[in-house]
Amino acid sequence: MATQMQQAREGRITDAMKIVAEEERIPVETIRERVANGTIAICANINHKNLRPRGVGEGLRVKVNANIGTSSTFPDIEPELEKLDEAVRCGADAVMDLSTGNNIDVSRQRIIEHSPIMVGTVPLYQATVRSIREHGAVVEMTDDDILETIEQQAKDGADFMTLHCGVTRSAIERMRRQGRVMDIVSRGGSFIAGWMLHNEMENPLYEHYDDILDICEKYDVTISLGDGMRPGCTADATDRGQLTELITLGELVDRAWKRGVQVMVEGPGHVPYDQIEANMKLEKRLCRHAPFYVLGPLVTDIAPGYDHITAAIGGTLAAVSGADFLCYVTPAEHLALPTIEDVHTGVITSRIAAHAADLVRGVPGAREWDLEMAKARKVLDWNRQMELAIDPDLAKKKRGARNPADEGACSMCGDYCAVEIINKYFHKENCPCQD
């Protein structure tokens, strides 16, 4: 079966393109054209049967991903499925299964089977766990371990895969010569860098890129080119290692598109606010405007417990400047495996950042949503405000806890509500306090 990109280039409009066009309020021919040229990716593995496709990229609503998955400390899949349900309920567009606990295959298969939204994976995690169990060390991982894992995850229905193909020996050497505070913080990046340094060989994901393209073409898996050299603190942002990897990723985008394989590019983690716009424009320039998927960026390093906020600050500017897909950051970032409450907070916070950018990007429906909320506030229509709230349950809880049931204004202003006062004297006919 042809990929979405291959069909788009042949002039065919797929069912997935129709669904994306309807959701985005954009002509379906525009979707087809942008899928054909690679600026939109529709991450939809042919084996993910209950998926409602979504598009990522040019002119579309900024999408939000939630990370879930088991760990060696918490290997039970059931809580992760509950987190998946919560992420979907909160409006996430994708989840990534980052499982490293027991029975990784079963965890992934159950998540994909359960998920109506895009599912991403990181095959290197499973290949590493497999290598440790079978060979005793990460550095004993074989090329077959990696390729067989990618094939299995594609066969199971993963819609997109983070693959750290750009962590090359030259990128590592440039990073080493320049020096870094935190070296490599990407888990996948550290796995492959450790393997390369120990074996004194080039990255097998880079060396076997054509084999990977064969697999992804077969199942229509979107490659998400991982940022294994991303900065782990603001002091390391926009350095030689990061930019060397980005140049390589741009070349890998070209090779994927030549085969008709869809691709996204992943972006930096910790970036000072004044460097974010430049980072986004560099990616778009070097990677030919491929969809850009960013973690954060986190604009400061000093806020453990509040990193969902530091990421939202950076995420809004990133999306305004060109990023198309935000990976959520939860209050547990840098601290622990997130709880279901952390997942809720992370998704909602990232959605706020994404929507703030949508307003600036001119995404259809974004300004209308804000305008409807403003109109409801003007007449103190609390029911309508709750309907329009991005987190209705929290809004209702806050409203109900601190206001009398029949109160028109809120208890912040009480008898001195600005809305009531101006309506009384400026728009008498709209005032909810008039008989």
Side-chain angles (χ1 to χ4, degrees), residues 30 33 45 56 67 90 138-139 166 168 178 181 228 274 289 304 372 374 388:
T30 301
E33 289 175 355
N45 187 309
V56 180
N67 290 337
C90 291
V138 174
V139 295
T168 58
Q178 182 174 7
V181 175
D274 64 334
H289 294 272
E372 286 300 306
L388 291 166

Side-chain angles (χ1 to χ4, degrees), residues 188-401:
S190 70
F191 291 159
I192 205 68
W195 185 96
M196 293 162 63
L197 292 168
H198 177 83
N199 292 289
E200 298 183 347
M201 295 174 64
E202 187 54 273
N203 182 350
L205 289 165
Y206 181 78
E207 296 280 271
H208 289 278
Y209 192 62
D210 286 332
D211 296 319
I212 292 169
L213 291 176
D214 288 339
I215 296 169
C216 293
E217 181 182 10
K218 180 179 179 181
Y219 298 96
D220 199 2
V221 175
T222 299
I223 295 176
S224 189
L225 290 166
D227 52 341
M229 305 292 289
R230 69 174 181 264
C233 63
T234 56
D236 292 337
T238 325
D239 70 353
R240 297 170 194 163
Q242 177 194 334
L243 296 184
T244 299
E245 179 184 37
L246 183 60
I247 291 169
T248 301
L249 298 186
E251 295 167 350
L252 295 176
V253 167
D254 290 346
R255 289 172 61 184
W257 283 352
K258 191 172 292 186
R259 289 284 297 275
V261 173
Q262 300 185 103
V263 63
M264 302 186 291
V265 178
E266 298 186 14
H270 293 242
V271 181
Y273 192 83
D274 64 334
Q275 295 180 33
I276 291 174
E277 182 179 6
N279 269 261
M280 301 306 109
K281 293 187 182 304
L282 272 172
E283 186 280 339
K284 288 294 183 177
R285 172 64 174 156
L286 294 174
C287 300
R288 303 188 190 276
H289 294 272
F292 199 18
Y293 174 28
V294 299
L295 176 67
L298 286 77
V299 295
T300 180
D301 305 325
I302 56 91
Y306 295 93
D307 277 326
H308 56 304
I309 297 173
T310 68
I313 294 168
T316 297
L317 180 56
V320 167
S321 304
D324 306 289
F325 195 5
L326 303 182
C327 184
Y328 84 169
V329 172
T330 77
E333 186 78 9
H334 301 112
L335 300 172
L337 190 74
T339 64
I340 194 167
E341 292 80 12
D342 292 326
V343 169
H344 177 101
T345 300
V347 171
I348 294 296
T349 306
S350 291
R351 284 190 61 210
I352 294 168
H355 177 72
D358 288 343
L359 288 168
V360 178
R361 289 161 63 113
V363 170
R367 290 192 178 275
E368 290 82 353
W369 186 4
D370 276 46
L371 183 59
E372 286 300 306
M373 178 62 87
K375 290 177 178 178
R377 282 181 173 157
K378 179 177 181 178
V379 297
L380 298 177
D381 184 344
W382 294 103
N383 289 333
R384 181 62 174 151
Q385 289 181 60
M386 299 305 106
E387 291 173 2
L388 291 166
I390 198 166
D391 189 348
D393 291 344
L394 180 63
K396 290 174 185 176
K397 180 180 177 181
K398 295 288 186 184
R399 169 71 185 164

Side-chain angles (χ1 to χ4, degrees), residues 378 418-431 434:
K378 179 177 181 178
V419 174
E420 284 193 338
I421 291 170
I422 202 64
N423 276 332
K424 181 176 180 180
Y425 295 103
F426 194 67
H427 295 291
K428 293 183 179 181
E429 69 279 6
N430 293 330
C431 184
Q434 298 292 314

